[in-house]
PDB file of all heavy atoms in Angstrom:
ATOM      1  N   GLY A 135      62.696 104.279 186.114  1.00  0.00           N
ATOM      2  CA  GLY A 135      61.939 104.975 187.167  1.00  0.00           C
ATOM      3  C   GLY A 135      61.522 104.083 188.234  1.00  0.00           C
ATOM      4  O   GLY A 135      61.367 102.912 187.963  1.00  0.00           O
ATOM      5  N   ARG A 136      61.206 104.673 189.422  1.00  0.00           N
ATOM      6  CA  ARG A 136      61.027 103.885 190.618  1.00  0.00           C
ATOM      7  C   ARG A 136      59.727 102.951 190.316  1.00  0.00           C
ATOM      8  O   ARG A 136      59.598 101.802 190.773  1.00  0.00           O
ATOM      9  CB  ARG A 136      60.740 104.733 191.739  1.00  0.00           C
ATOM     10  CG  ARG A 136      61.011 104.079 193.076  1.00  0.00           C
ATOM     11  CD  ARG A 136      61.337 105.146 194.187  1.00  0.00           C
ATOM     12  NE  ARG A 136      60.379 106.108 194.255  1.00  0.00           N
ATOM     13  CZ  ARG A 136      59.226 106.118 195.084  1.00  0.00           C
ATOM     14  NH1 ARG A 136      59.108 105.017 195.825  1.00  0.00           N
ATOM     15  NH2 ARG A 136      58.427 107.075 195.090  1.00  0.00           N
ATOM     16  N   ASP A 137      58.685 103.567 189.632  1.00  0.00           N
ATOM     17  CA  ASP A 137      57.453 102.821 189.530  1.00  0.00           C
ATOM     18  C   ASP A 137      57.211 102.331 188.106  1.00  0.00           C
ATOM     19  O   ASP A 137      56.211 101.918 187.634  1.00  0.00           O
ATOM     20  CB  ASP A 137      56.248 103.668 189.914  1.00  0.00           C
ATOM     21  CG  ASP A 137      56.355 104.182 191.238  1.00  0.00           C
ATOM     22  OD1 ASP A 137      56.640 103.343 192.206  1.00  0.00           O
ATOM     23  OD2 ASP A 137      55.995 105.276 191.579  1.00  0.00           O
ATOM     24  N   ALA A 138      58.396 102.320 187.282  1.00  0.00           N
ATOM     25  CA  ALA A 138      58.341 101.925 185.832  1.00  0.00           C
ATOM     26  C   ALA A 138      58.086 100.496 185.730  1.00  0.00           C
ATOM     27  O   ALA A 138      58.660  99.677 186.458  1.00  0.00           O
ATOM     28  CB  ALA A 138      59.530 102.424 185.221  1.00  0.00           C
ATOM     29  N   LYS A 139      57.291 100.085 184.760  1.00  0.00           N
ATOM     30  CA  LYS A 139      57.051  98.754 184.397  1.00  0.00           C
ATOM     31  C   LYS A 139      57.229  98.560 182.907  1.00  0.00           C
ATOM     32  O   LYS A 139      56.843  99.444 182.074  1.00  0.00           O
ATOM     33  CB  LYS A 139      55.616  98.291 184.735  1.00  0.00           C
ATOM     34  CG  LYS A 139      55.281  98.202 186.285  1.00  0.00           C
ATOM     35  CD  LYS A 139      54.718  96.790 186.542  1.00  0.00           C
ATOM     36  CE  LYS A 139      54.392  96.598 188.069  1.00  0.00           C
ATOM     37  NZ  LYS A 139      55.667  96.396 188.863  1.00  0.00           N
ATOM     38  N   VAL A 140      57.873  97.471 182.446  1.00  0.00           N
ATOM     39  CA  VAL A 140      58.088  97.340 181.106  1.00  0.00           C
ATOM     40  C   VAL A 140      57.664  95.953 180.673  1.00  0.00           C
ATOM     41  O   VAL A 140      57.619  94.964 181.493  1.00  0.00           O
ATOM     42  CB  VAL A 140      59.644  97.511 180.754  1.00  0.00           C
ATOM     43  CG1 VAL A 140      60.001  98.973 181.027  1.00  0.00           C
ATOM     44  CG2 VAL A 140      60.515  96.572 181.379  1.00  0.00           C
ATOM     45  N   VAL A 141      57.458  95.813 179.394  1.00  0.00           N
ATOM     46  CA  VAL A 141      57.123  94.525 178.819  1.00  0.00           C
ATOM     47  C   VAL A 141      57.906  94.413 177.465  1.00  0.00           C
ATOM     48  O   VAL A 141      58.082  95.457 176.761  1.00  0.00           O
ATOM     49  CB  VAL A 141      55.647  94.364 178.452  1.00  0.00           C
ATOM     50  CG1 VAL A 141      55.365  93.249 177.340  1.00  0.00           C
ATOM     51  CG2 VAL A 141      54.816  94.042 179.659  1.00  0.00           C
ATOM     52  N   PHE A 142      58.509  93.264 177.143  1.00  0.00           N
ATOM     53  CA  PHE A 142      59.168  93.059 175.887  1.00  0.00           C
ATOM     54  C   PHE A 142      58.326  92.258 174.929  1.00  0.00           C
ATOM     55  O   PHE A 142      57.671  91.290 175.410  1.00  0.00           O
ATOM     56  CB  PHE A 142      60.537  92.388 176.116  1.00  0.00           C
ATOM     57  CG  PHE A 142      61.514  93.316 176.711  1.00  0.00           C
ATOM     58  CD1 PHE A 142      61.768  93.335 178.040  1.00  0.00           C
ATOM     59  CD2 PHE A 142      62.327  94.153 175.851  1.00  0.00           C
ATOM     60  CE1 PHE A 142      62.595  94.238 178.650  1.00  0.00           C
ATOM     61  CE2 PHE A 142      63.319  94.952 176.455  1.00  0.00           C
ATOM     62  CZ  PHE A 142      63.422  95.027 177.799  1.00  0.00           C
ATOM     63  N   MET A 143      58.139  92.773 173.670  1.00  0.00           N
ATOM     64  CA  MET A 143      57.341  92.027 172.765  1.00  0.00           C
ATOM     65  C   MET A 143      58.202  91.800 171.409  1.00  0.00           C
ATOM     66  O   MET A 143      59.139  92.411 171.119  1.00  0.00           O
ATOM     67  CB  MET A 143      56.146  92.809 172.358  1.00  0.00           C
ATOM     68  CG  MET A 143      55.308  93.041 173.612  1.00  0.00           C
ATOM     69  SD  MET A 143      53.564  93.584 173.204  1.00  0.00           S
ATOM     70  CE  MET A 143      52.819  92.044 172.647  1.00  0.00           C
ATOM     71  N   MET A 144      57.846  90.682 170.747  1.00  0.00           N
ATOM     72  CA  MET A 144      58.623  90.305 169.585  1.00  0.00           C
ATOM     73  C   MET A 144      57.761  90.129 168.339  1.00  0.00           C
ATOM     74  O   MET A 144      56.618  89.595 168.527  1.00  0.00           O
ATOM     75  CB  MET A 144      59.275  88.883 170.004  1.00  0.00           C
ATOM     76  CG  MET A 144      60.327  88.415 168.974  1.00  0.00           C
ATOM     77  SD  MET A 144      61.757  89.381 168.956  1.00  0.00           S
ATOM     78  CE  MET A 144      62.755  88.626 170.105  1.00  0.00           C
ATOM     79  N   SER A 145      58.347  90.540 167.197  1.00  0.00           N
ATOM     80  CA  SER A 145      57.704  90.360 165.948  1.00  0.00           C
ATOM     81  C   SER A 145      58.719  89.615 165.127  1.00  0.00           C
ATOM     82  O   SER A 145      59.878  89.914 165.028  1.00  0.00           O
ATOM     83  CB  SER A 145      57.264  91.617 165.303  1.00  0.00           C
ATOM     84  OG  SER A 145      57.343  91.611 163.933  1.00  0.00           O
ATOM     85  N   ALA A 146      58.237  88.504 164.370  1.00  0.00           N
ATOM     86  CA  ALA A 146      59.111  87.794 163.424  1.00  0.00           C
ATOM     87  C   ALA A 146      59.683  88.761 162.345  1.00  0.00           C
ATOM     88  O   ALA A 146      60.689  88.574 161.773  1.00  0.00           O
ATOM     89  CB  ALA A 146      58.392  86.649 162.841  1.00  0.00           C
ATOM     90  N   ASN A 147      58.924  89.840 162.062  1.00  0.00           N
ATOM     91  CA  ASN A 147      59.370  90.749 160.986  1.00  0.00           C
ATOM     92  C   ASN A 147      60.227  91.874 161.408  1.00  0.00           C
ATOM     93  O   ASN A 147      61.067  92.224 160.550  1.00  0.00           O
ATOM     94  CB  ASN A 147      58.012  91.266 160.345  1.00  0.00           C
ATOM     95  CG  ASN A 147      57.246  90.226 159.656  1.00  0.00           C
ATOM     96  OD1 ASN A 147      57.756  89.411 158.956  1.00  0.00           O
ATOM     97  ND2 ASN A 147      55.936  90.188 159.975  1.00  0.00           N
ATOM     98  N   ILE A 148      60.109  92.477 162.529  1.00  0.00           N
ATOM     99  CA  ILE A 148      60.980  93.579 162.847  1.00  0.00           C
ATOM    100  C   ILE A 148      61.596  93.343 164.279  1.00  0.00           C
ATOM    101  O   ILE A 148      62.246  94.297 164.870  1.00  0.00           O
ATOM    102  CB  ILE A 148      60.278  94.885 162.872  1.00  0.00           C
ATOM    103  CG1 ILE A 148      59.079  94.939 163.804  1.00  0.00           C
ATOM    104  CG2 ILE A 148      59.792  95.181 161.373  1.00  0.00           C
ATOM    105  CD1 ILE A 148      58.494  96.366 163.913  1.00  0.00           C
ATOM    106  N   GLY A 149      61.679  92.142 164.786  1.00  0.00           N
ATOM    107  CA  GLY A 149      62.365  91.995 166.125  1.00  0.00           C
ATOM    108  C   GLY A 149      61.717  92.464 167.351  1.00  0.00           C
ATOM    109  O   GLY A 149      60.429  92.341 167.478  1.00  0.00           O
ATOM    110  N   MET A 150      62.511  92.971 168.182  1.00  0.00           N
ATOM    111  CA  MET A 150      61.959  93.206 169.591  1.00  0.00           C
ATOM    112  C   MET A 150      61.678  94.659 169.882  1.00  0.00           C
ATOM    113  O   MET A 150      62.382  95.548 169.378  1.00  0.00           O
ATOM    114  CB  MET A 150      63.058  92.746 170.577  1.00  0.00           C
ATOM    115  CG  MET A 150      62.700  92.842 172.059  1.00  0.00           C
ATOM    116  SD  MET A 150      63.587  91.866 173.088  1.00  0.00           S
ATOM    117  CE  MET A 150      65.269  92.499 172.902  1.00  0.00           C
ATOM    118  N   ILE A 151      60.595  94.928 170.592  1.00  0.00           N
ATOM    119  CA  ILE A 151      60.371  96.220 171.060  1.00  0.00           C
ATOM    120  C   ILE A 151      60.054  96.119 172.681  1.00  0.00           C
ATOM    121  O   ILE A 151      59.738  95.061 173.160  1.00  0.00           O
ATOM    122  CB  ILE A 151      59.138  96.987 170.384  1.00  0.00           C
ATOM    123  CG1 ILE A 151      57.828  96.097 170.614  1.00  0.00           C
ATOM    124  CG2 ILE A 151      59.426  97.267 168.943  1.00  0.00           C
ATOM    125  CD1 ILE A 151      56.590  96.898 170.243  1.00  0.00           C
ATOM    126  N   GLU A 152      60.116  97.259 173.341  1.00  0.00           N
ATOM    127  CA  GLU A 152      59.819  97.326 174.734  1.00  0.00           C
ATOM    128  C   GLU A 152      58.748  98.364 174.897  1.00  0.00           C
ATOM    129  O   GLU A 152      58.730  99.346 174.243  1.00  0.00           O
ATOM    130  CB  GLU A 152      61.142  97.783 175.453  1.00  0.00           C
ATOM    131  CG  GLU A 152      60.957  97.998 177.064  1.00  0.00           C
ATOM    132  CD  GLU A 152      62.294  98.424 177.698  1.00  0.00           C
ATOM    133  OE1 GLU A 152      63.164  99.001 176.865  1.00  0.00           O
ATOM    134  OE2 GLU A 152      62.473  98.183 178.840  1.00  0.00           O
ATOM    135  N   LEU A 153      57.829  98.047 175.739  1.00  0.00           N
ATOM    136  CA  LEU A 153      56.682  99.008 176.176  1.00  0.00           C
ATOM    137  C   LEU A 153      56.949  99.493 177.621  1.00  0.00           C
ATOM    138  O   LEU A 153      57.359  98.587 178.438  1.00  0.00           O
ATOM    139  CB  LEU A 153      55.397  98.304 175.969  1.00  0.00           C
ATOM    140  CG  LEU A 153      55.018  97.687 174.708  1.00  0.00           C
ATOM    141  CD1 LEU A 153      53.655  97.121 174.726  1.00  0.00           C
ATOM    142  CD2 LEU A 153      55.089  98.719 173.545  1.00  0.00           C
TER     143      LEU A 153
END
Side-chain angles (χ1 to χ4, degrees):
R136 202 159 56 90
D137 300 318
K139 290 234 181 283
V140 298
V141 161
F142 286 91
M143 300 196 74
M144 188 67 90
S145 150
N147 296 309
I148 61 172
M150 184 159 62
I151 62 170
E152 179 180 21
L153 304 178

